[in-house]
């Protein structure tokens, strides 16, 4: 038999919830480490006094009792493990592993036995159930009843709230009350905090971020008392898991974080972390409410009666001595900001600080998050959604939970990537540059300077998309119907030349004679418009582009996919084909690549013959003629829009003293249709009103009329 025995997936019950972990038996001690909390139970082999093998809910379990009065219970063993464990205990611990059956009769009358920290309810010397007295939060008595209330666990799906025991009255000659005796036995081991005596020391009005407010902290030998204006909290030191001392990014403040399990409660809100904020400039002279001999005996030199220094140092020093746990500080990580050992980021729409530690990450402060490397499955570097100047850091745990720390500055990427890589964490989107080392000194705009995990993933996905959708049977055509930089012919009706239309040329030759007598106006310069580009027409006789290897394979496999999956849609065919293409072997893909290469050569040969025969693009001479023709047409169109009638209307419009009805109707009409209606309303081929006006203005002398 070896020196050690190890068992995985061994469970420990904690307030109604089962936490898995690993149990190891060695010659010196027994060690159990919880996978969820990381808490370690270390039982020296010399203290082990009793071991019991029992059949319990998850198979078989072991109950271990020590000489110091502690009881440990572990569940999840198999029936075949009994012989190995029994022989190991006899050989190394000199303790016999005894088998004991549980009572399953379901009787509710029995005997209550108090054995150390356990209350055992037995029927005929067989245990029915056991209650850890440390889980009792309150004990109330009645006439013949004792009610036990329990601490609640957030992780337990079903929680036991309370248990009532009926205690029958004893004989009349006995003076002691059995109900009070039962309650006294429970309270002697229960986790009911009662402030008796004076506090060791008091810290006045400390700033607390979680729960928020100013609290007086009273330090007692067994628990911590937070006294605020509205709420009071009593925290036993046994519920403290870890202590953290973290420097703020501004180098002027310090965070002191206390991790709690079970958490403190405020109504329905539970606080798993107690976060205190200190200023480095605050000083304190502290005197413990104990004699020097008692301080030396109890704390073994860790504390002295009179101490002075920074406030955060005093609090952390006292807590370390009373809780008897190490204080975790940031490691060698250095952020982009000089001297900063953290990264500014956001979590759940709240801004905070992420501290990379030697064995995990901790985020403060709202809500606080602590992630150990042991429970991290993989990490992922994701590009920010709003801007490329930031990125997201995603952490996925082995339990399937995902934590996303967003809006991290791009300059922090290289340092964080090197830290994660050095800790040998699984980077989900490492891509093809796994061995590439990133630079620490800068994060330049070019992605070629250093490794970008997100970019590598996007490249890989793009390559797969190109293989799946990379072939188009038709030539690429550019849609030139919309050119923002060019003017359209549609706007000609509404431009400044719209009044100079053919509708104004309604006068006869006498209008020309009137014009000759008037001074000539400066001709208006009309800006020449660029000719509209003609849309490229597809030539049906041109050779078709060759297909990619994936499309050649898809065309040959489409009927096979349809036959295997009757009723499959077109989109599902594409998805199914993409999955099948990924699973095709390298040799088969090379065969399809050769076919695609052969098709490409045939296409190039056919395209060359097609161009030599005069197909495809036009010659330069044709292009020049097209340009010249377009310009002439444009000029001719510009001249057409100018008419004598239009110029005449313009000249008449400049004279405010006289306006003809013709001019008014053409100016006020808002469209070509209204101008036509105005012409029809006049009912004269040349406009009689205008002729009468000309006769009045240009009537010859009577002598000339008589001579006619």
């Amino acid at each position: 038999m070896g020196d050690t025995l190890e068992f995985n997936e061994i469970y420990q019950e904690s307030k109604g919830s089962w936490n898995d972990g690993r149990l190891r038996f060695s010659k010196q001690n027994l060690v159990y480490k919880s996978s969820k909390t990381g808490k370690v139970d270390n039982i020296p082999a010399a203290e082990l006094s009793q071991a019991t093998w029992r059949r319990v809910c998850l198979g078989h379990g072991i109950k271990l009792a020590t000489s110091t009065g502690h009881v440990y219970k572990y569940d999840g063993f198999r029936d075949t493990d009994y012989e190995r464990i029994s022989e190991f205990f006899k050989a190394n611990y000199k303790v016999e592993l005894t088998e004991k059956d549980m009572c399953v009769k379901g009787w509710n009358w029995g005997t209550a036995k108090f054995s150390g920290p356990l209350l055992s309810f037995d029927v005929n010397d067989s245990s029915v159930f056991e209650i850890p007295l440390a889980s009792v939060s309150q004990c109330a008595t009645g006439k013949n009843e004792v009610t036990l209330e329990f601490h609640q666990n957030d992780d337990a799906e079903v929680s036991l709230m309370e248990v009532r025991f009926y205690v029958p009255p004893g004989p009349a000659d006995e003076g002691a009350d059995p109900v009070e005796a039962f309650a006294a036995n429970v309270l002697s081991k229960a986790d009911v905090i009662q402030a008796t005596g004076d506090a060791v020391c008091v810290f006045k009005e400390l700033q607390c971020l979680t729960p928020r407010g100013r609290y007086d902290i009273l330090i007692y030998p067994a628990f911590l008392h937070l006294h605020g204006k509205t709420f009071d909290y009593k925290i036993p030191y046994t519920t403290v898991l870890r202590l953290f001392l973290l420097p703020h990014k501004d180098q002027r403040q310090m965070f002191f974080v206390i991790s709690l399990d079970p958490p403190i409660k405020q109504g329905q809100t539970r606080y798993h972390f107690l976060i205190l904020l200190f200023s480095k400039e605050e000083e304190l002279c502290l005197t413990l409410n104990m004699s020097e001999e008692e301080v030396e005996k109890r704390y073994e030199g860790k504390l002295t009666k009179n101490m002075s220094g920074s406030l955060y140092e005093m609090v952390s020093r006292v807590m370390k001595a009373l809780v008897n746990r190490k204080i975790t500080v940031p490691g060698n990580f250095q952020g982009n900001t000089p001297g900063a050992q953290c990264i500014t980021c956001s979590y759940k729409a709240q801004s905070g600080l992420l501290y990379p530690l030697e064995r995990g990450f901790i985020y403060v402060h709202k809500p606080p998050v602590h992630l150990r490397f042991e429970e991290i499955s993989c990490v992922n570097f994701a590009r920010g959604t709003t801007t490329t100047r930031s990125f997201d850091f995603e952490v996925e745990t082995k339990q399937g939970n995902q934590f996303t720390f967003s809006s991290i500055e791009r300059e922090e990427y290289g340092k964080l990537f090197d830290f994660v890589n050095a800790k040998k964490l699984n980077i989900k989107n490492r891509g093809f540059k796994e061995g590439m080392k990133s630079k620490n000194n800068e994060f330049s705009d070019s992605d070629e300077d250093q490794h970008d995990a997100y970019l590598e993933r996007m490249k890989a996905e793009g390559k797969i998309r190109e293989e799946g959708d990379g072939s188009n049977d038709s030539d690429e055509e550019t849609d030139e119907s919309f050119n923002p930089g060019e003017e359209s012919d549609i706007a000609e009706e509404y431009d400044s030349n719209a009044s100079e239309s053919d509708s104004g040329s309604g006068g006869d030759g006498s209008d020309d004679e009137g014009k000759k007598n008037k001074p000539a106006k400066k001709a208006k310069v009309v800006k020449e418009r660029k000719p509209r580009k003609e849309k490229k027409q597809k030539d049906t006789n041109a050779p078709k582009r060759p297909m990619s290897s994936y499309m050649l394979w898809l065309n040959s496999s489409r009927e096979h996919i349809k036959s295997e999956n009757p009723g499959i849609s077109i989109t599902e065919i594409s998805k199914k084909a993409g999955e099948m293409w990924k699973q095709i072997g390298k040799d088969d893909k090379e065969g399809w690549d050769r076919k695609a290469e052969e098709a490409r050569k045939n296409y190039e040969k056919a395209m060359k013959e097609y161009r030599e025969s005069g197909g495809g693009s036009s010659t330069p001479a044709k292009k020049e003629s097209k340009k010249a023709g377009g310009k002439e047409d444009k000029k001719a169109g510009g001249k057409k829009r100018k008419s004598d009638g239009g110029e005449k209307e313009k000249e008449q419009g400049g004279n405010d003293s006289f306006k003809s009805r013709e001019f008014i109707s053409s100016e006020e009409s808002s469209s070509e249709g209204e101008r036509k209606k105005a012409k029809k309303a006049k009912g004269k081929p040349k406009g009689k009103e205008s002729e009468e006006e000309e006769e009045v203005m240009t009537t010859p002398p009577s002598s000339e009329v008589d001579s006619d």
Side-chain angles (χ1 to χ4, degrees):
M1 180 177 291
D3 296 337
T4 60
L5 283 179
E6 289 193 10
F7 298 93
N8 295 321
E9 295 184 1
I10 301 300
Y11 295 86
Q12 184 181 38
E13 188 267 338
S14 174
K15 299 181 180 65
S17 176
W18 291 99
N19 299 329
D20 65 320
R22 185 175 62 182
L23 181 63
R24 180 169 59 87
F25 299 110
S26 64
K27 292 183 178 181
Q28 294 79 18
N29 55 10
L30 289 80
V31 179
Y32 177 80
K33 185 174 183 180
S34 174
S35 299
K36 180 190 175 186
T37 61
K39 189 176 181 180
V40 178
D41 293 338
N42 194 340
I43 308 172
E47 295 182 1
L48 189 64
S49 60
Q50 185 181 358
T52 306
W53 180 267
R54 305 183 300 179
R55 182 171 182 83
V56 285
C57 60
L58 294 179
H60 292 80
I62 291 180
K63 175 185 174 184
L64 304 175
T66 63
S67 57
T68 57
H70 292 88
V71 176
Y72 302 90
K73 293 188 288 185
Y74 304 105
D75 198 350
F77 296 96
R78 290 174 290 187
D79 194 11
T80 56
D81 297 332
Y82 172 75
E83 295 182 2
R84 296 169 55 200
I85 298 174
S86 180
E87 293 177 3
F88 189 88
F89 275 33
K90 287 180 182 179
N92 297 286
Y93 303 148
K94 303 296 186 284
V95 175
E96 185 178 355
L97 185 63
T98 60
E99 288 190 79
K100 189 174 182 180
D101 294 333
M102 303 290 290
C103 180
V104 293
K105 293 182 179 180
W107 292 359
N108 61 346
W109 279 95
T111 305
K113 295 181 179 180
F114 293 91
S115 175
L118 291 178
L119 166 61
S120 176
F121 188 80
D122 298 346
V123 175
N124 296 332
D125 295 332
S126 295
S127 179
V128 179
F129 61 85
E130 293 176 342
I131 297 176
L133 295 178
S135 300
V136 177
S137 63
Q138 194 58 258
C139 179
T141 59
K143 184 177 180 181
N144 290 320
E145 285 185 345
V146 178
T147 303
L148 306 184
E149 296 181 6
F150 302 99
H151 292 293
Q152 300 303 307
N153 191 345
D154 294 340
D155 298 329
E157 296 181 0
V158 179
S159 296
L160 179 63
M161 303 296 293
E162 66 176 33
V163 172
R164 292 186 181 183
F165 291 95
Y166 173 77
V167 182
D173 55 351
E174 292 185 7
D177 187 0
V179 174
E180 294 297 333
F182 189 98
N185 288 329
V186 171
L187 289 173
S188 63
K189 298 293 182 181
D191 187 18
V192 180
I193 300 175
Q194 296 178 353
T196 58
D198 296 330
V200 176
C201 60
V202 179
F203 298 99
K204 291 286 188 180
E205 292 190 357
L206 297 184
Q207 183 180 357
C208 191
L209 300 180
T210 305
R212 186 178 177 183
R214 292 271 180 177
Y215 288 87
D216 294 340
I217 298 183
L218 289 76
I219 305 295
Y220 287 89
F223 64 93
L224 182 71
H225 184 195
L226 270 70
H227 176 68
K229 293 181 179 179
T230 309
F231 299 99
D232 277 9
Y233 303 98
K234 294 177 181 178
I235 305 171
Y237 295 140
T238 55
T239 64
V240 177
L241 285 180
R242 293 176 185 84
L243 302 174
F244 301 91
L245 187 61
L246 309 171
H248 197 280
K249 195 172 184 178
D250 59 8
Q251 305 298 320
R252 295 184 291 108
Q253 300 179 94
M254 297 290 292
F255 292 109
F256 185 67
V257 183
I258 303 174
S259 176
L260 304 174
D261 185 30
I264 58 178
K265 301 175 185 178
Q266 180 178 308
Q268 296 298 322
T269 307
R270 290 167 171 79
Y271 298 102
H272 292 268
F273 293 88
L274 177 65
I275 302 179
L276 303 174
L277 182 63
F278 300 96
S279 174
K280 287 186 176 182
E281 299 175 355
E282 291 185 71
E283 300 287 334
L284 178 68
C285 294
L286 183 65
T287 301
L288 300 183
N289 190 18
M290 301 170 69
S291 63
E292 293 184 0
E293 293 80 9
E294 192 176 358
V295 171
E296 182 65 27
K297 181 181 178 180
R298 180 174 292 186
Y299 302 114
E300 299 176 354
K302 296 178 182 177
L303 298 177
T304 59
K305 183 176 176 61
N306 298 306
M307 297 180 291
S308 62
S310 300
L311 179 58
Y312 73 90
E313 291 179 353
M314 294 296 99
V315 174
S316 59
R317 187 175 174 183
V318 170
M319 290 297 299
K320 180 180 178 182
L322 292 174
V323 178
N324 197 20
R325 293 192 181 276
K326 296 179 180 179
I327 295 179
T328 304
V329 296
N332 299 324
F333 177 82
Q334 292 291 331
N336 185 59
T337 305
Q341 295 180 287
C342 57
I343 295 172
T344 304
C345 62
S346 297
Y347 176 66
K348 289 187 177 180
Q350 294 288 339
S351 180
L353 299 174
L354 178 66
Y355 289 84
L357 308 175
E358 288 300 319
R359 295 185 179 180
F361 297 98
I362 186 169
Y363 172 82
V364 290
H365 73 95
K366 196 174 183 179
V369 177
H370 180 231
L371 299 169
R372 294 177 291 113
F373 291 156
E374 299 172 359
E375 60 181 341
I376 293 177
S377 172
C378 62
V379 299
N380 180 30
F381 292 88
R383 190 67 57 86
T385 55
T386 56
T387 174
T388 57
R389 300 301 301 172
S390 66
F391 67 96
D392 297 347
F393 181 60
E394 300 173 353
V395 181
E396 187 174 341
T397 62
K398 294 177 181 177
Q399 287 79 18
N401 300 322
Q402 184 170 339
F403 300 87
T404 302
F405 304 99
S406 58
S407 302
I408 304 176
E409 293 180 359
R410 192 177 178 184
E411 288 75 12
E412 304 282 2
Y413 173 83
K415 310 234 176 189
L416 184 58
F417 181 85
D418 282 349
F419 175 82
V420 172
N421 205 20
K423 296 300 179 182
K424 297 181 180 179
L425 296 178
N426 181 24
I427 302 177
K428 189 175 181 181
N429 57 343
R430 187 182 291 271
F432 301 106
K433 297 186 180 180
E434 186 168 351
M436 183 175 179
K437 188 174 182 181
S438 60
K439 297 181 180 180
N440 290 338
N441 54 355
E442 61 179 356
F443 197 105
S444 61
D445 292 337
S446 175
D447 290 331
E448 298 174 359
D449 293 343
Q450 62 182 9
H451 174 68
D452 190 339
Y454 179 83
L455 181 61
E456 295 304 324
R457 188 178 68 176
M458 291 298 102
K459 286 182 178 179
E461 292 178 358
K463 187 176 181 181
I464 295 173
R465 264 198 305 272
E466 287 177 3
E467 290 179 355
D469 305 331
S471 66
N472 287 327
D473 295 339
S474 61
D475 293 340
E476 294 180 50
E477 297 180 359
T478 56
D479 186 6
E480 298 179 353
S481 61
F482 175 68
N483 295 312
E486 299 178 5
E487 293 180 313
S488 173
D489 289 343
I490 301 174
E492 290 176 3
E493 184 179 348
Y494 305 99
D495 61 10
S496 60
N497 299 324
S499 60
E500 300 175 1
S501 58
D502 294 340
S503 62
S505 59
D508 55 0
S510 59
D511 293 340
D512 297 334
E513 294 178 1
K515 278 186 185 178
K516 291 177 183 178
N517 299 329
K518 294 183 179 180
K521 285 193 175 182
K522 187 177 180 181
K524 185 175 180 181
V525 179
V526 180
K527 188 176 179 181
E528 186 176 334
R529 294 183 178 85
K530 296 180 181 179
R532 182 190 293 181
K533 294 181 181 178
E534 295 183 1
K535 188 173 181 181
K536 185 178 178 182
Q537 298 294 330
K538 181 179 174 183
D539 192 353
T540 55
N541 298 324
K544 292 185 177 180
R545 286 196 173 188
M547 295 184 182
S548 64
S549 55
Y550 169 77
M551 291 304 296
L552 290 172
W553 170 83
L554 179 59
N555 288 342
S556 64
S557 306
R558 184 178 280 107
E559 297 300 327
H560 178 66
I561 296 173
K562 287 182 179 179
S563 61
E564 287 188 350
N565 304 276
I568 190 172
S569 63
I570 297 175
T571 56
E572 293 297 330
I573 290 176
S574 302
K575 291 180 182 178
K576 186 73 176 177
E579 295 174 359
M580 295 173 63
W581 178 252
K582 291 180 183 178
Q583 298 173 0
I584 289 178
K586 186 178 179 181
D587 297 337
D588 294 339
K589 283 188 178 181
E590 288 179 355
W592 289 105
D593 290 340
R594 286 193 295 270
K595 291 182 181 180
E597 181 65 21
E598 185 179 351
R600 186 185 64 81
K601 291 180 180 179
N602 294 336
Y603 167 74
E604 291 178 353
K605 184 178 178 182
M607 199 67 186
K608 186 177 180 182
E609 294 176 356
Y610 171 71
R611 286 173 179 166
E612 289 177 354
S613 64
S617 60
S618 59
T619 60
K622 290 181 180 179
K623 290 181 180 178
E624 291 297 330
S625 63
K626 274 186 180 180
K627 288 181 181 178
K631 287 182 180 179
E632 289 173 1
D633 294 342
K634 207 70 177 179
K635 288 179 181 177
K639 288 180 180 177
K640 266 185 181 180
R641 285 193 299 271
K642 290 184 179 181
S643 63
D644 296 338
E647 291 179 0
K648 176 185 172 184
E649 288 173 3
K650 228 175 181 183
E651 291 173 3
Q652 290 175 349
N655 186 6
D656 296 335
S657 61
F658 173 79
K659 285 186 181 180
S660 66
R661 291 175 61 185
E662 227 180 24
F663 177 82
I664 294 170
S665 62
S666 63
E667 186 69 18
E668 291 179 350
S669 61
S670 59
S671 64
E672 188 67 28
E674 292 180 1
R675 288 197 290 269
K676 289 180 179 179
K677 288 179 181 179
K679 286 183 180 180
K680 289 180 180 179
K682 292 167 188 175
K684 298 178 183 179
K686 287 189 178 182
K688 288 187 177 180
E689 293 180 2
S690 60
E691 290 178 2
E692 290 174 357
E693 289 168 0
E694 290 175 4
E695 288 176 3
V696 171
M697 294 172 65
T698 58
T699 303
S702 57
S703 59
E704 294 180 4
V705 176
D706 295 336
S707 62
D708 289 336

